[in-house]
Amino acid sequence: LMLVGGGVALALYLESGRKAPLAWFSVLTGAVMMTRSVFHPLWLVLVVAAVLPLTPQRARRRLILASAVPLLVVGLLFLKNQILIGSFNSSTWLGLSLAKRWPLSQEEVRKLKDSGVIPPYWERRPFREPDELKPFGFFGDDQPITHAALDAPYKTNGEPNFNHRDYVAISDALLAGNLRLIQRFPGRYLERT
């Protein structure tokens, strides 16, 4: 809804030049980028770059400024994540999320793990419990808990704490593996998507 609404608002702005649709475009694209990590700020830059030549000369400056607002807001969110957990992204789960549903056989996964293309803890179900990931050096018992939301492997109700700092390292490694898989199997990535 936000994506379509932002597109409609942008089209209305291009037709009319009115500021209200431009403001809606700014708000909705910012909301999309903050709620879905797939819509990285580069996505908005590419959209604006594609639309800018179609924009009347007098309206281009307004479009660039309206796009800068959500880019700034999302950039501040990224900065907050960098300061708290060392990840300049909207989501620390990007690698975990991308690792879901790859159309690979178990034999292919084994060979990819053995060759170092994907990490040894790559599985069909990327959101695994801390106890399952301990053999790979994560969630050590010697780690002090200074911030429960970031340092406790499990929540007080016994559920895994997927906001734990180690999931950032796991997600980063899975992201790197995903990028290598996308390079090797672009057709399968499109199939998966």
Side-chain angles (χ1 to χ4, degrees):
L1 181 64
M2 290 183 290
L3 188 60
V4 172
V8 168
L10 180 58
L12 288 172
Y13 170 69
L14 292 176
E15 287 177 9
S16 69
R18 292 187 350 249
K19 292 179 184 176
L22 186 60
W24 275 108
F25 165 73
S26 183
V27 168
L28 292 171
T29 55
V32 164
M33 289 189 298
M34 291 180 74
T35 56
R36 293 285 178 247
S37 58
V38 171
F39 295 101
H40 191 272
L42 182 59
W43 162 80
L44 180 57
V45 170
L46 292 173
V47 167
V48 172
V51 170
L52 215 51
L54 307 172
T55 307
Q57 187 70 31
R58 68 190 188 301
R60 288 182 183 175
R61 185 169 180 267
R62 270 193 259 154
L63 176 59
I64 291 170
L65 288 173
S67 302
V69 171
L71 287 174
L72 177 65
V73 170
V74 171
L76 290 172
L77 171 70
F78 281 28
L79 181 62
K80 184 257 324 170
N81 287 345
Q82 178 67 41
I83 291 167
L84 284 178
I85 51 169
S87 178
F88 193 74
N89 263 316
S90 62
S91 171
T92 57
W93 296 353
L94 184 57
L96 292 160
S97 297
L98 279 176
K100 292 189 276 186
R101 293 184 286 280
W102 265 94
L104 298 166
S105 70
Q106 289 181 342
E107 180 64 21
E108 287 174 311
V109 169
R110 187 189 57 74
K111 286 180 182 176
L112 291 165
K113 283 180 182 179
D114 291 346
S115 65
V117 173
I118 55 177
Y121 40 87
W122 181 286
E123 296 292 334
R124 287 193 183 276
R125 187 177 57 88
F127 287 88
R128 296 169 58 203
E129 296 212 12
D131 288 342
E132 296 175 56
L133 293 161
K134 274 187 179 182
F136 299 102
F138 299 108
F139 306 103
D141 294 329
D142 58 339
Q143 295 177 340
I145 296 179
T146 56
H147 191 294
L150 300 175
D151 298 326
Y154 289 92
K155 298 178 188 177
T156 55
N157 65 0
E159 293 291 320
N161 176 16
F162 291 118
N163 294 313
H164 190 282
R165 293 179 198 274
D166 282 358
Y167 280 111
V168 176
I170 293 164
S171 184
D172 288 348
L174 291 176
L175 177 59
N178 275 291
L179 294 175
R180 288 189 290 270
L181 286 178
I182 290 168
Q183 287 175 337
R184 286 180 183 229
F185 307 110
R188 291 199 203 178
Y189 175 71
L190 291 175
E191 177 187 333
R192 172 211 168 271
T193 304

